[in-house]
Amino acid sequence: LKKELAGFSTEIDFVEDNEFPELGKIFVIDSKLKDLYPQKISTIVGNKPIYNLEVSEANKNLKNMQKILDFFLINEITREDTVVAVGGGIVTDMTALAASLYLRGCKLALVPTTLLAMVDAAVGGKTAINFRGYKNNLGSFYPANRIIFNLDFLRNLPATEFENGFIEIKKMALLKNNGLLEMITSEAPLADIIQKAIDTKLEFCRKDLTDRGVRRFLNLGHTFAHVIETASDFKIPHGLAVAKGILLATEYSRALGKISETELENISQLFMEYKLPDFPNLELAKFQNIIIKDKKKGDNVNLVLLKGIYKPFLFTDTNLQNLYNFIYKK
Ligand SMILES: NC(=O)c1ccc[n+]([C@@H]2O[C@H](COP(=O)([O-])OP(=O)(O)OC[C@H]3O[C@@H](n4cnc5c(N)ncnc54)[C@H](O)[C@@H]3O)[C@@H](O)[C@H]2O)c1
């Protein structure tokens, strides 16, 4: 399957364990995977050089980026060689950034191994590391030449990690009227849901690789989630923070008279099964500080709200006091 993304062409394949093609010259791999899936990793990598990355947000930094670039250099990678990332979003984000920098771009293949990386991080061409305490604030847009999906990687995925991905799928289902929501509510096979979610994400990115327009709808719930995660020192899992964020965005849309009570109830239903966190108790100044410091947004806060299911819109809130009053029911 070939997908075009703003002049980049990405080949997408779904493979079974015995169908892995030869992917590239060197591999950056989540260090946990060789113990969790020894057979599979050995099939994928063969006798090619491996860089084992110990995965954590703290390690998603410039120092490790440099080590990955050293690994490229030592192995004499040229622009025509393919480097391969096998792992979750941290490995795919970092390897993709390194691939975009090295010789101004070498070839890149991704093998996402978490649900979140499959439907989100590995798809759409964003790359990043964390820098000076800010999340994902060094990066580039560099779609992979190839993405290989092997759903058997989800076999040992911890429940929280599964939830992180599935909540992003539910988010996408609310943004586009393409059958994904029905597939989720009717409990269609997971493989079908994943394929549809990938298509949905690609659809937004194809129209807007660099995040200036429709792609921003994918941030539904994420401004609130960012506050929840930051205030909890990132102890609350991303998925649950996003689910809570989507509910708050929907309730705010309702408070502004944009969405009906019935649709609010239907959306709430989607997230009933999760034990959602409370929104943190914050002074206005702290609340403002977290939201405004979110570097990508400038002075105003652009919230994604809903005029209805499948009807996201960008709401520019210039007065955070209103939002604050809404959240804390003042
Ligand atoms: N580029 C983008 O568009 C984009 C989008 C969303 C998220 N992200 C980034 O992705 C990262 C989150 O991705 P993630 O949730 O995949 O995180 P991750 O890479 O940290 O993986 C989550 C955990 O699962 C483990 N793991 C990976 N594959 C496994 C498997 N098959 N079985 C068992 N355990 C496995 C990892 O070791 C890790 O502990 C964040 O850094 C985020 O900023 C990027």
Side-chain angles (χ1 to χ4, degrees), residues 16 50 82 87 115 118 123 135 145 195 225 240 243 269 317 323:
E16 300 293 336
I50 294 185
T82 301
L115 184 57
M118 289 178 190
V123 178
K135 208 167 152 19
N145 301 82
Q195 289 207 25
L240 294 182
Q269 278 290 331
D317 216 342
L323 182 60

Side-chain angles (χ1 to χ4, degrees), residues 26-34 41-42 44-45 49-55 71 84-88 91 95:
I26 59 172
F27 290 76
V28 180
I29 294 193
D30 180 326
S31 58
K32 270 187 213 152
L33 296 177
K34 59 183 183 313
I41 294 299
S42 135
I44 296 175
V45 177
I50 294 185
Y51 182 96
N52 274 303
L53 184 75
E54 202 166 311
V55 161
F71 175 64
V84 189
V86 186
V91 175
T95 310

